[in-house]
Amino acid sequence: MNSAKQCFFCQNNIRQIDYKDTEILKKFLNPHGRMVSRKKSAVCAASQRQLATAVKRARFMGLLPFVAR
Amino acid sequence: MQAIAKKAVVVKSDKEEIVKVYEIGYLLVSSIPKEKVADITVELRNIVTNKGANIIAEEAAEITQLAYTMIKKVGAANIRFNEGYFGWVKFELSGSEIEAVKKAFEENPNMLRSLIITTVRDTTYLGKKAPAIARSEDVVAPEAPAVEAAAAAPVEVPATVEDIDKSIDEMVK
């Protein structure tokens, strides 16, 4: 009955989130280029912190936008 | 006094010996000709190896579309770039040498941006696997559209004159 969602990174056994994997990072951005909250994505706290760092690095290197639309 | 100074030196030398795994991501300007990119990549690789680094993994620079326009100041002019050659090198190096590597990368005239991070020895970059994993499932549950909610609500049909007459007759009876 209880269909609790699991963390995407834990499910796929991704221990270290790389800033160069933009296809994966894009899944956690909304159409404006902002990060999706943990409440919606169900990412665990540790992965969310890593994800935030990876997104910021990718933005600096021009792989992801700071703002979109 | 001398003993304290000696102790401090020992601590410093201990720090210098710590070998870490670093990764440098670099973005080269798109104005350089395609034939020269390979040479510049080797040049950058040599900066790292000359400091005694042990290369773990690397990817040659490839042209990529930038997510936003970057500006590089050359002399008095601001040159804008929408494309760049992105490459990276992962290596093992002692902590004392990394500052020199950083400076050498930044001083390269073809460098648009560079980023040094500490990482782990294992492969973290999924590369071509990433799109497949990304496609495998939806991360964010789509919110129920407002149209569906409206459709679920009972629709009230406006009463006709005949219906009203009938209901009045029933009430009178």
Side-chain angles (χ1 to χ4, degrees), chain B residues 70-124:
Chain B
M70 285 188 190
I71 300 168
K72 184 178 167 67
K73 206 167 186 181
V74 180
N78 283 336
I79 304 170
R80 287 161 195 272
F81 294 97
N82 290 314
E83 282 181 333
Y85 290 94
F86 179 75
W88 57 272
V89 188
K90 194 186 224 182
F91 56 92
E92 236 176 10
L93 188 66
S94 67
S96 59
E97 297 287 343
I98 197 70
E99 273 300 314
V101 171
K102 188 182 175 186
K103 209 175 175 188
F105 265 70
E106 283 171 358
E107 281 173 359
N108 192 305
N110 299 311
M111 194 64 66
L112 189 56
R113 264 180 208 189
S114 65
L115 175 73
I116 298 183
I117 58 165
T118 51
T119 182
V120 290
R121 209 167 213 292
D122 305 330
T123 308
T124 56

Side-chain angles (χ1 to χ4, degrees), chain A residues 5 8 11-12 14 16 18-21 23-24 27-28 36 40-41 57 59-66, chain B residues 23 25-27 66-68 70 86 88 113-115 117 120 124-127 130 133-134 137 139-140 143:
Chain A
K5 256 183 101 175
F8 171 84
Q11 265 183 338
N12 290 294
I14 300 169
Q16 292 281 328
D18 200 299
Y19 76 91
K20 300 187 293 295
D21 288 320
E23 287 299 317
I24 287 177
K27 283 176 78 89
F28 297 90
V36 171
K40 284 186 180 171
S41 62
R57 283 171 176 168
R59 281 175 180 163
F60 174 75
M61 291 305 287
L63 305 176
L64 288 179
F66 281 94
Chain B
E23 188 183 302
Y26 54 87
L27 203 59
L66 300 178
Y68 55 93
M70 285 188 190
F86 179 75
W88 57 272
R113 264 180 208 189
S114 65
L115 175 73
I117 58 165
V120 290
T124 56
Y125 182 43
L126 298 168
I133 295 169
E137 57 182 290
V139 172
V140 183
E143 284 174 26

Side-chain angles (χ1 to χ4, degrees), chain A residues 5-50:
Chain A
K5 256 183 101 175
Q6 273 207 336
C7 170
F8 171 84
F9 298 102
C10 299
Q11 265 183 338
N12 290 294
N13 203 23
I14 300 169
R15 298 277 168 85
Q16 292 281 328
I17 303 172
D18 200 299
Y19 76 91
K20 300 187 293 295
D21 288 320
T22 48
E23 287 299 317
I24 287 177
L25 299 182
K26 274 178 194 171
K27 283 176 78 89
F28 297 90
L29 301 180
N30 73 7
H32 297 280
R34 298 185 68 185
M35 271 187 69
V36 171
S37 70
R38 275 183 64 208
K39 198 176 171 183
K40 284 186 180 171
S41 62
V43 170
C44 68
S47 295
Q48 183 77 1
R49 288 197 296 273
Q50 272 195 43

